[in-house]
């Protein structure tokens, strides 16, 4: 904890993980929106070093974000029923993200090792879909946690409302750009860095 901002370290971990994640997906970023498979392979081959390095950075960010939310859950005081509820929701969010991280990291490893397979969209999409579904669960739980606390309601509603929205997109499209998850989670992390919880015991 840090003075009047008891969740600053947890929030900073979330924000740092989010930034690293976004940096990681930046090399050869046009490949994600390029429909032609042969062109995708050409782009990946031309930017192979940056692409492989980016997958490693993205993996670091994927792991760091749930660690930050686990730290937030641990830091929450259990002084009353609402606080205990918030802690349980936060722990559920961290658990869902931690469960999803290995699924995406394994996908990143395949992307780095098999450029042609990624370019031509080969292999099962099940790990990515499971990872995305767990993110939807995490956002819903995160919204429940924030709405149980004396935070400004907009931050809790943002997390809570994003869950059904992203879930509907995922079900309809069988795909979703994962940066949308990290945009919300990074926003929550930034909020936690600045939030002065009046009931938390700073140490």
């Amino acid at each position: 904890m840090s003075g009047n901002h008891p969740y600053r370290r947890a929030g900073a971990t979330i924000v740092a993980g989010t930034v690293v994640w976004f940096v990681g997906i930046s090399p050869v970023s046009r490949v994600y929106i390029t429909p032609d498979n042969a062109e995708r392979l050409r782009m990946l081959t031309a930017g192979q070093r940056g692409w492989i390095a980016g997958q490693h950075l993205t993996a670091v960010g994927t792991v760091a974000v749930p660690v930050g939310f686990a730290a937030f859950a641990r830091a929450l005081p259990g002084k009353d029923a609402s606080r205990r509820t918030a802690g349980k929701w936060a722990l559920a969010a961290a658990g869902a993200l931690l469960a999803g991280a290995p699924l995406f990291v394994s996908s990143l490893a395949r992307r780095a090792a098999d450029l042609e397979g990624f370019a031509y969209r080969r292999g099962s999409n099940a790990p990515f879909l499971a990872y995305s579904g767990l993110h939807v669960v995490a956002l819903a739980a995160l919204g429940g946690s924030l709405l149980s606390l004396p935070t400004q309601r907009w931050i809790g509603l943002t997390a809570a409302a994003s869950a059904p929205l992203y879930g509907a997109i995922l079900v309809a499209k069988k795909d979703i750009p994962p940066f949308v998850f990290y945009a919300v989670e990074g926003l929550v992390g930034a909020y936690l860095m600045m939030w002065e919880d009046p009931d938390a015991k700073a140490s």
Side-chain angles (χ1 to χ4, degrees):
M1 297 186 187
S2 179
N4 293 328
H5 300 85
Y7 313 114
R8 177 169 284 169
R9 290 181 184 176
T13 301
I14 297 164
V15 170
T18 301
V19 170
V20 169
W21 193 93
F22 273 98
V23 171
I25 66 167
S26 296
V28 202
S29 58
R30 286 182 54 246
V31 74
Y32 300 109
I33 58 173
T34 299
D36 182 74
N37 293 338
E39 175 62 13
R40 282 159 56 88
L41 181 58
R42 187 200 65 77
M43 293 166 62
L44 290 172
T45 302
Q48 183 173 359
R49 288 186 179 181
W51 173 259
I52 292 174
Q55 303 314 296
H56 286 86
L57 282 176
T58 305
V60 171
T62 300
V63 173
V65 170
V67 168
F69 280 113
F72 169 55
R74 288 196 305 270
L76 279 168
K79 300 172 69 172
D80 53 39
S82 64
R83 292 278 166 163
R84 289 192 294 272
T85 298
K88 291 177 181 177
W89 280 117
L91 192 60
L97 291 174
L98 286 168
L103 298 172
F104 193 53
V105 170
S106 67
S107 296
L108 294 170
R110 289 196 300 274
R111 292 181 184 185
D114 184 7
L115 301 185
E116 185 174 334
F118 180 72
Y120 282 83
R121 299 174 174 87
R122 296 171 186 156
S124 173
N125 200 34
F128 176 77
L129 292 176
Y131 153 83
S132 299
L134 286 165
H135 258 288
V136 170
V137 172
L139 288 172
L142 185 59
S145 177
L146 294 170
L147 290 171
S148 300
L149 295 167
T151 58
Q152 294 181 349
R153 286 191 63 80
W154 69 265
I155 189 67
L157 290 173
T158 297
S162 67
L165 174 62
Y166 296 160
I169 294 172
L170 186 61
V171 169
K173 302 292 187 180
K174 301 297 186 293
D175 193 12
I176 190 169
F179 77 83
V180 298
F181 302 127
Y182 290 93
V184 175
E185 290 156 7
L187 178 64
V188 171
Y191 183 90
L192 292 176
M193 286 181 66
M194 298 182 292
W195 182 38
E196 297 185 41
D197 184 349
D199 296 326
K201 185 183 293 184
S203 62

